[in-house]
Amino acid sequence: MEHERRLPVRGVDGAAPEPKRRKVRKGTRSCWECRRRKIRCLYSSEDAAICVNCESRGTNCVSQEFADEQSSAPDRRVTQRLGRVEEMLEKLVEKIMPDSYSSGKGRPSTSVSPASAAEVVDPEPVGSECPFSVGKPPMFEVLAPLRKNGKAPAAPCPSVADLPTPASSQHEPAALGPKYTQVSKTLHELLPCQQDIDAIAAASPATNFVISFFCRYRDIVSGKTEDPSLICVIPPSTSHPTVLARRLMQLTNCIQQIQPTTPLRLVTTESTRCLMAKFVTVVTELVAYSDDLIGYGEGLETLTLISLYHGNAGNLRKAWLMLRRAISVAQLMGVDRLGDKPLKSADPAANPLTLIKAKSIWFRLNFTDRYLSLLLGLPAGTDDNSFLLDDPDDEPMDKLEKQHTVVMGAIIKRNSTKGDPSFGMTQAIDCDLEAAARSVAAEFWQLPPVDAVVDGGPAERIRAMTQLMLQMNHHNLLILLHLPFMLRDPKERRWDYSKATCVSSSRQLLRTFLVFRKMNKASNACRHTDYGALTASMTLLLGYLDPKLQARDQNTTLQRESDRGLIQEARDKLQQMADRNGDKLARDAACVIGRLLPLLNPDLMASGGGGNEGVGEVPAIHLEIPYLGTININPSAHAQTPQHDVQPHAHATPAPNINSNAKATSASIPVNQNDYVNFPAYPTPSHISQSAATEWSTPSDHPASTEGDQAADAPSFPMDLGHDTNVYTDFNSFAPVMQFEWSQAQLAHPELAAEADEWTFQGFDTTYFESLFSSGAQGL
């Protein structure tokens, strides 16, 4: 066995022999491996014996103080292995393609010895420059560069001389061809000038958010994210296209979230809207759909940032499509199996300590995908919940967000079941949401003061924004979970908990939304909060179709006026955003809320409409759903059914204690923003029977309906989503409170991924009312 000279390799214990040292410049501390790769040699600490790069690759870390004598032996071993591989492949090709082999069967077998493996010469082409001509099998020419020690073949065959080793392929991109070199130049020319980039970074409050979007909150707290100032650094024109594309999309999202009151002076004469549209279009065409370029960490970031831009612009369908591509690419890269390892980077100058971790970006992709799928009524991209595994270093907000992701997937599965939504599954999901609410401290559910956040630093602002968005997401999930059961038969008490939860969560979501929009006034920033506000407003208003909320006692009247003020304030906020930003989505959302506001009028609800004589008839409220039809709401239908007086329920208070039996009074209806201090989390289904009987029960002087009465009485909220036009389902000869009218004119759907200017709600409204109408009592 050949004795090889052992090099002074530094190990973890620092033990090494005393070899001959070389003279190096004072202060130099780097290894031969990093020098060969032409990357910066970094150490995690002053006492570290192995650099970060060698530790991540598992390679020997040899200081430049010692001679580098390690290259010759590995080269000989590689040559020997390649010789054996070539010999086996030539024999294989000879058996598979005997007719294309010019030497035929009489050719003596070629034995490639290790010593002469590098001296094998290819046979010359026969009368043609085509590498696949007769006399040479395809594999023979493919391996020619390897036998020539890396020399490129004369024929135009794709060269594999620079095939990366498994270790280097984790962090080094392949060399760019002429085609992609031109792509890099095009993207580099698209970048704004340095002065404009500095102005954008200074004006946008989203710089820290964009940089830390793929990081866990614990990494943000510990400072393990990229320096936000790096967003102002222009990559060189020779950079990989995904590195340039990521920078363009980071700048695009920063421009998108600049506040309307913040002055922005740019050298370019183009408007910011045109700049964003141009950046997104070019990056999408040149990089996002290029399978050869996108397989790096920067590629996944680019795809997700494009989706984030479309989501904030209201283009939910384009955002969903781009995110699905990101998930598919991530699965091909094995991101879902890499755990806490960093993704391979296309930027050789990237800091290994701040590279995006596979676990973090996989969670972010699933969270965003499930949220968009829930809004659009589409299936989730994956069922993988491995990110929920306990991580002792996770912050409470990280854990809460992960639990929300699992709950979103469960609601999507519940909604996709055929027939009536499973109430048992709904109860189980409600238990999960309660556990999620209890996993954080009670102080988390308090609304942070606006002034303290505005005047605070970036860390305080990120924490406050994250806290508010998690609160809104929690309440939104509760609404969407119980929405199919909100308009069930009011005589059946088993639905009371779902009705109370929808109403209470709607109030809390609207209060949180108003605080959030005082901090962030840009309509294209955190667009999901606007969808949540619209969902809460419609749910709270439609909740007043229930006879129990139409009582005229003092407590119910005070609560109704409080709700009116809350909803009107949310509508006015959306209208202000529409006027200030020229935002069509905010304007249409405010219009929908305005159309439903009459439902808070008790006189309208109590009017005796629909009678044969037409006395006191009140016209129905009409909501036109684009590309679906018209929703007709007839509040006066309740006047034809005898109703008894009801007491107000405990959920009339904005911060109810579900587990207590105390009844609401006028003094227990706070209107301040900090009424969530005593939030006891949400009740489990085990509390449903007790709390529902307390909150939504009839007074003691009115006997409860028996099972026979319930069977004989018709449900109060029937819905027919069939294709018959202007047909009311007959329940005791009374018209239903809500009725869907199919319109043939609505069949002209827009393009599959039309933008918000052409299709405002993108099908979000259709999904909402389909979930609400699944409470049609025909199946009960």
Side-chain angles (χ1 to χ4, degrees):
M1 181 176 178
E2 182 181 356
H3 294 281
E4 297 180 356
R5 180 180 176 183
R6 294 188 175 272
L7 293 175
V9 179
R10 287 176 290 181
V12 178
D13 55 356
E18 275 300 319
K20 182 179 179 181
R21 296 179 178 268
R22 298 173 62 250
K23 292 183 179 181
V24 294
R25 187 172 51 190
K26 186 177 181 181
T28 300
R29 190 189 183 194
S30 60
C31 67
W32 287 106
E33 186 70 18
C34 290
R35 181 178 179 179
R36 278 193 295 269
R37 296 177 182 275
K38 297 181 180 180
I39 58 177
R40 187 178 180 183
C41 191
L42 300 174
Y43 291 85
S44 58
S45 65
E46 292 293 334
D47 300 328
I50 303 176
C51 72
V52 175
N53 298 317
C54 290
E55 186 176 10
S56 63
R57 295 188 182 90
T59 57
N60 291 336
C61 187
V62 182
S63 173
Q64 294 188 39
E65 297 178 6
F66 309 101
D68 183 22
E69 302 176 7
Q70 197 176 5
S71 58
S72 58
D75 288 344
R76 288 197 299 271
R77 289 196 297 270
V78 170
T79 303
Q80 293 170 2
R81 291 175 181 175
L82 287 178
R84 289 194 294 269
V85 170
E86 291 172 20
E87 183 179 0
M88 289 186 291
L89 285 176
E90 286 176 4
K91 291 180 180 179
L92 178 63
V93 171
E94 189 174 3
K95 291 181 180 180
I96 296 175
M97 305 171 61
D99 296 335
S100 64
Y101 220 48
S102 60
S103 59
K105 297 181 180 179
R107 177 185 177 184
S109 61
T110 304
S111 177
V112 182
S113 63
S116 61
E119 300 176 0
V120 177
V121 180
D122 297 334
E124 293 295 328
V126 181
S128 173
E129 294 182 356
C130 178
F132 296 159
S133 59
V134 177
K136 257 186 217 181
M139 290 185 182
F140 197 87
E141 186 63 32
V142 169
L143 291 174
L146 298 179
R147 296 194 301 275
K148 293 181 179 180
N149 289 331
K151 294 181 180 179
C157 176
S159 173
V160 290
D162 296 326
L163 284 175
T165 63
S168 65
S169 65
Q170 293 298 317
H171 294 278
E172 292 185 359
L176 294 176
K179 175 181 176 182
Y180 298 122
T181 301
Q182 185 58 41
V183 171
S184 294
K185 291 181 179 179
T186 302
L187 295 174
H188 188 268
E189 292 171 357
L190 197 63
L191 282 165
C193 64
Q194 187 65 59
Q195 183 177 345
D196 284 355
I197 292 178
D198 294 338
I200 292 169
S204 177
T207 306
N208 290 276
F209 168 76
V210 171
I211 288 292
S212 61
F213 180 67
F214 302 98
C215 300
R216 291 165 289 190
Y217 187 74
R218 69 169 188 183
D219 294 331
I220 299 175
V221 173
S222 58
K224 294 182 180 179
T225 60
E226 284 187 334
D227 188 346
S229 63
L230 291 178
I231 207 170
C232 298
V233 177
I234 300 178
S237 59
T238 56
S239 301
H240 194 275
T242 55
V243 177
L244 294 161
R246 179 186 64 165
R247 181 69 76 241
L248 280 168
M249 292 316 306
Q250 287 175 338
L251 293 172
T252 300
N253 281 273
C254 287
I255 296 173
Q256 190 181 36
Q257 301 194 35
I258 293 178
Q259 303 298 309
T261 56
T262 302
L264 179 64
R265 295 181 180 179
L266 302 178
V267 175
T268 179
T269 57
E270 292 185 84
S271 65
T272 55
R273 187 183 296 270
C274 292
L275 277 178
M276 291 188 294
K278 182 171 66 173
F279 292 167
V280 172
T281 301
V282 174
V283 170
T284 301
E285 293 179 355
L286 296 183
V287 178
Y289 289 109
S290 175
D291 297 334
D292 298 330
L293 294 178
I294 212 67
Y296 296 93
E298 290 84 359
L300 284 181
E301 289 185 63
T302 300
L303 294 176
T304 312
L305 289 173
I306 293 175
S307 175
L308 179 64
Y309 164 81
H310 282 304
N312 284 331
N315 308 325
L316 297 182
R317 291 172 171 259
K318 284 190 174 181
W320 186 85
L321 287 171
M322 189 59 67
L323 203 62
R324 281 301 166 89
R325 174 163 176 78
I327 289 179
S328 300
V329 172
Q331 288 175 322
L332 287 176
M333 293 172 61
V335 174
D336 53 330
R337 302 185 299 274
L338 290 178
D340 213 31
K341 297 180 181 178
L343 298 181
K344 63 178 180 179
S345 174
D347 185 5
N351 186 353
L353 297 177
T354 59
L355 288 178
I356 299 298
K357 302 296 189 298
K359 195 174 184 180
S360 299
I361 196 169
W362 181 243
F363 161 69
R364 183 57 55 196
L365 289 174
N366 278 276
F367 176 87
T368 312
D369 170 73
R370 294 183 190 184
Y371 177 80
L372 290 174
S373 299
L374 190 58
L375 285 186
L376 296 175
L378 298 172
T382 71
D383 294 330
D384 184 15
N385 293 327
S386 58
F387 49 79
L388 192 61
L389 297 177
D390 290 336
D391 191 335
D393 296 328
D394 269 350
E395 291 284 330
M397 289 197 293
D398 289 328
K399 295 180 181 179
L400 180 61
E401 196 172 24
K402 290 179 179 179
Q403 291 170 316
H404 284 172
T405 307
V406 175
V407 167
M408 284 189 284
I411 296 177
I412 291 172
K413 282 186 177 180
R414 192 276 312 265
N415 293 346
S416 63
T417 56
K418 295 182 179 180
D420 193 42
S422 171
F423 190 60
M425 187 181 297
T426 301
Q427 291 174 313
I429 299 174
D430 187 85
C431 285
D432 293 337
L433 274 173
E434 179 196 2
R438 294 183 184 277
S439 66
V440 294
E443 293 77 13
F444 174 84
W445 300 104
Q446 298 181 17
L447 297 179
V450 179
D451 297 337
V453 175
V454 173
D455 300 334
E460 290 80 4
R461 183 179 179 85
I462 290 179
R463 180 178 181 84
M465 289 292 185
T466 304
Q467 178 182 352
L468 289 173
M469 286 189 289
L470 283 174
Q471 288 184 14
M472 282 186 281
N473 192 45
H474 190 90
H475 297 307
N476 191 43
L477 289 177
L478 281 169
I479 295 172
L480 297 179
L481 174 64
H482 291 280
L483 188 63
F485 308 98
M486 188 180 75
L487 295 185
R488 300 273 175 152
D489 186 2
K491 297 186 180 68
E492 293 193 35
R493 295 180 179 177
R494 60 173 173 158
W495 314 125
D496 288 351
Y497 173 66
S498 292
K499 298 175 183 180
T501 301
C502 285
V503 171
S504 176
S505 296
S506 297
R507 291 170 180 149
Q508 294 294 351
L509 195 154
L510 288 175
R511 292 190 182 93
T512 311
F513 167 77
L514 292 173
V515 174
F516 180 86
R517 278 306 180 189
K518 287 180 181 178
M519 301 178 185
N520 196 326
K521 299 180 176 64
S523 60
N524 287 331
C526 306
R527 174 67 77 179
H528 61 279
T529 61
D530 301 335
Y531 289 108
L534 178 59
T535 299
S537 298
M538 291 192 301
T539 304
L540 184 54
L541 288 167
L542 292 173
Y544 274 89
L545 289 173
D546 193 287
K548 298 178 180 67
L549 295 182
Q550 300 173 19
R552 295 176 178 271
D553 60 278
Q554 183 181 10
N555 293 338
T556 307
T557 301
L558 288 173
Q559 184 62 72
R560 184 165 47 242
E561 293 305 313
S562 175
D563 290 343
R564 186 196 306 276
L566 187 64
I567 295 172
Q568 287 179 340
E569 189 175 356
R571 181 196 62 178
D572 294 342
K573 179 63 67 176
L574 289 170
Q575 188 61 49
Q576 291 173 9
M577 292 168 54
D579 297 338
R580 187 183 297 114
N581 300 280
D583 187 65
K584 186 174 184 294
L585 193 150
R587 181 177 294 106
D588 289 354
C591 180
V592 170
I593 296 173
R595 284 178 174 270
L596 293 177
L597 269 176
L599 294 177
L600 289 173
N601 187 351
D603 295 329
L604 173 65
M605 303 295 290
S607 299
N612 295 331
E613 299 179 0
V615 179
E617 185 174 356
V618 179
I621 298 172
H622 304 284
L623 276 182
E624 295 183 1
I625 308 300
Y627 311 108
L628 181 65
T630 304
I631 308 293
N632 297 317
I633 304 175
N634 183 21
S636 60
H638 277 301
Q640 301 170 1
T641 304
Q643 301 288 348
H644 50 69
D645 294 333
V646 296
Q647 294 182 356
H649 50 82
H651 272 274
T653 60
N657 189 335
I658 306 295
N659 299 324
S660 66
N661 293 326
K663 297 207 176 341
T665 61
S666 59
S668 64
I669 307 178
V671 294
N672 60 337
Q673 297 176 348
N674 295 321
D675 52 5
Y676 218 159
V677 176
N678 297 322
F679 175 69
Y682 287 88
T684 60
S686 61
H687 301 134
I688 289 179
S689 59
Q690 177 183 355
S691 60
T694 303
E695 298 153 8
W696 290 74
S697 60
T698 57
S700 56
D701 56 345
H702 288 78
S705 301
T706 62
E707 294 183 1
D709 295 334
Q710 293 177 3
D713 292 336
S716 300
F717 303 98
M719 278 306 308
D720 184 11
L721 284 177
H723 298 292
D724 296 334
T725 306
N726 297 325
V727 176
Y728 287 97
T729 307
D730 185 14
F731 288 93
N732 288 353
S733 301
F734 292 132
V737 173
M738 298 181 66
Q739 183 257 346
F740 171 74
E741 181 179 340
W742 182 270
S743 175
Q744 296 294 330
Q746 307 292 344
L747 294 178
H749 279 70
E751 295 295 333
L752 179 67
E755 296 191 354
D757 292 338
E758 303 174 20
W759 192 358
T760 304
F761 294 118
Q762 300 276 295
F764 153 77
D765 47 356
T766 303
T767 304
Y768 175 86
F769 281 105
E770 282 182 350
S771 179
L772 183 69
F773 293 162
S774 65
S775 63
Q778 293 95 322
L780 294 180

